[in-house]
Amino acid sequence: MSSTSLSGGGSLRGSVRVPGDKSISHRSLLFGAIAEGETTIDGLLPAEDPLSTAACLRSMGVKISAIEAGSIVRVQGVGLDGLNEPKEILNCGNSGTTMRLMLGLLAGRKDRHFVLDGDASLRQRPMARVAKPLAELGGDISGREGGNKAPLAIRGNALKGGCITTPVASAQVKSALLLAGLTASEPVTVIEPALSRDHSERMLRAFGAELSCNPQGPKGPSVILQPGAVLRGQQVVVPGDISSAAFWLVAGLLVPGAELTIENVGLNPTRTGILDVLEMMQAPLTVLNQRDVAGEPVGDLLVKPAQLKSFNIAGELIPRLVDEIPILAVAALAAEGTSVIADAAELRVKETDRLAVMARQLRAMGAELEESDDGLVIPGGQQLKGADVDSETDHRVAMSLAVAALVAEGNTRIARADAAAVSYPNFWDDLARLQRG
Ligand code: S3P
């Protein structure tokens, strides 16, 4: 993997259109695959993770046109029960979303056998959180470490319905169970401890599935999916990914003289926790042109530098910004006062242990911060120093360290910087362009 060198002291100016939302991209491919007829996807993220989902679906006989930046992707749906048993192992690459949603999609494919695998990082990630509740519905999934780790084998079964209370607020778990519910014999109810992103619910409904959502349910946010509806191909428009926009938001706030407009950003309320935190930090952030695009709210974000205040985050806010914590750690270092992140133990089972990796890499740049079991304590007002750092193969760490490098004194060399391609293939090109102004 390649490294990138960056020096602090420059500025950042201009407009940037971040690539399509990763979560919505995966779902549009998956739901399109099992719908009747054609689904067109405008703005699909042409990055490694959605390519993994597309490759798995193609191995099961789904025709998907070439996935290239700027082109509309066409998926020829095979219907709810049309997926073929693949001859090869389904390779989910680095993508937890691919593996977990595939488990839900495939558990109910009666009389078919599937094997899922991924890269070294994905083989370390917990899958029992999906496999176990699927077993309650009649799923048969086995794997290493008692079925918790890939490679995983799925023996397709007829599924029954049920009510599952998940111990973690995870959209991947919830979505896997909803996908399984599509072919179950009875309704499937999912109750979460806090509301996770709801893209599956929105898109499944648009495709014709019957579901009812109660975000204020007495035992926690709940979704009930009624099986039996036929999904119909749709025209999906994918908004820009707020999790990719987050790097430019923080860069625009921290880099002296910056002025950035980030266009076409998805503003689904289950994803905008970062905007709430930036407001807590008194960031001068303006949302322009708010609109609705194909069932998802979208807007443009304008940001300029300012002295930020510290923040304190925990509880139900965490699932709404779970992927933005690495870049928020960078923002906290520049704020006035000490910031505290708690209830974020989920970060330890992402592509890397993001609490440990961010603490280690920011310390290499001279930062002082404390790691707790489930978060970070980050004193503000710190000047970073250029250093040799490493993404440790994590895309969001690579991009967070890039923003840290822009505000550091001197040069920073980021090893394995090309990890960014997992969710943002043009990140380094966009950065170079914004640096030229
Ligand atoms: C995702 C859900 C989140 C998030 C991931 C994408 C999704 O994971 O971190 O990047 O598309 O459903 P969890 O469900 O594990 O919280």
Side-chain angles (χ1 to χ4, degrees), residues 151-201:
L152 296 163
I154 307 168
R155 188 169 293 282
N157 261 347
L159 300 180
K160 54 185 193 235
C163 177
I164 310 283
T165 303
T166 65
V168 279
S170 160
Q172 294 176 353
V173 175
K174 173 174 63 179
S175 305
L177 294 169
L178 295 177
L179 276 162
L182 290 171
T183 55
S185 56
E186 299 287 337
V188 168
T189 303
V190 187
I191 304 175
E192 318 185 75
L195 187 61
S196 64
R197 62 193 66 189
D198 68 356
H199 304 299
S200 291
E201 293 91 307

Side-chain angles (χ1 to χ4, degrees), residues 118-139:
D119 69 6
S121 150
L122 191 53
R123 282 181 174 182
Q124 288 311 316
R125 298 183 66 187
M127 295 296 146
R129 54 178 58 197
V130 181
K132 264 185 152 169
L134 284 172
E136 285 182 45
L137 302 179

Side-chain angles (χ1 to χ4, degrees), residues 35 39 53 55 103 110 124 158 178-179 241 258 265 274 276 278 281 322 352 357 381 390 392 401 405 423 437:
T39 288
T53 291
L103 287 171
K110 211 166 163 302
Q124 288 311 316
L178 295 177
L179 276 162
D241 198 325
V265 181
I274 178 142
D276 298 358
L278 294 180
M281 298 179 85
V322 66
T352 59
V357 173
D390 186 354
E392 303 194 31
L401 292 175
S423 61

Side-chain angles (χ1 to χ4, degrees), residues 33-36 60-62 77-85 109 112:
I34 54 170
E36 304 281 344
M60 294 183 281
V62 182
V78 295
L80 262 186
D81 199 39
L83 295 171
N84 297 332
E85 183 175 75
R109 309 291 145 182
R112 277 156 277 179

Side-chain angles (χ1 to χ4, degrees), residues 171-430:
Q172 294 176 353
V173 175
K174 173 174 63 179
S175 305
L177 294 169
L178 295 177
L179 276 162
L182 290 171
T183 55
S185 56
E186 299 287 337
V188 168
T189 303
V190 187
I191 304 175
E192 318 185 75
L195 187 61
S196 64
R197 62 193 66 189
D198 68 356
H199 304 299
S200 291
E201 293 91 307
R202 286 172 188 247
M203 203 185 287
L204 276 171
R205 190 172 282 135
F207 272 77
E210 220 183 294
L211 35 80
S212 58
C213 306
N214 184 358
Q216 319 287 344
K219 296 184 190 155
S222 64
V223 191
I224 307 173
L225 183 123
Q226 304 286 340
V230 173
L231 305 187
R232 306 252 172 238
Q234 297 295 308
Q235 298 183 334
V236 179
V237 184
V238 184
D241 198 325
I242 189 166
S243 298
S244 298
F247 304 106
W248 303 127
L249 284 174
V250 173
L253 289 167
L254 300 190
V255 173
E259 187 166 335
L260 295 179
T261 305
I262 311 148
E263 295 170 358
N264 189 41
V265 181
L267 298 175
N268 177 312
T270 60
R271 298 285 300 282
T272 49
I274 178 142
L275 302 186
D276 298 358
V277 177
L278 294 180
E279 198 180 315
M280 265 180 229
M281 298 179 85
Q282 298 182 13
L285 172 74
T286 317
V287 183
L288 305 166
N289 303 321
Q290 282 206 57
R291 56 206 183 266
D292 227 69
V293 179
E296 292 276 353
V298 171
D300 303 330
L301 305 173
L302 178 67
V303 72
K304 291 178 191 172
Q307 176 57 59
L308 301 172
K309 305 277 185 232
S310 58
F311 60 83
N312 205 319
I313 57 173
E316 297 197 347
L317 181 56
I318 300 296
R320 295 180 54 234
L321 48 67
V322 66
D323 292 336
E324 286 64 78
I325 288 176
I327 189 61
L328 281 172
V330 176
L333 289 168
E336 211 175 274
T338 295
S339 296
V340 181
I341 300 166
D343 297 333
E346 271 297 296
L347 267 80
R348 297 205 180 276
V349 291
K350 294 290 178 190
E351 286 81 333
T352 59
D353 176 344
R354 287 182 173 157
L355 298 177
V357 173
M358 285 308 293
R360 185 158 52 235
Q361 297 304 327
L362 291 173
R363 281 188 192 124
M365 300 180 81
E368 285 179 19
L369 67 166
E370 292 298 316
E371 205 184 316
S372 65
D373 286 351
D374 66 351
L376 296 168
V377 179
I378 310 172
Q382 301 193 49
Q383 172 61 57
L384 293 172
K385 293 178 189 63
D388 276 359
V389 292
D390 186 354
S391 76
E392 303 194 31
T393 74
D394 188 320
H395 54 128
R396 301 205 197 279
V397 172
M399 294 183 272
S400 299
L401 292 175
V403 176
L406 296 178
V407 293
E409 254 166 29
N411 283 320
T412 295
R413 190 176 146 273
I414 306 172
R416 297 188 270 188
D418 48 0
V422 158
S423 61
Y424 196 157
N426 288 333
F427 177 79
W428 302 105
D429 296 338
D430 281 350

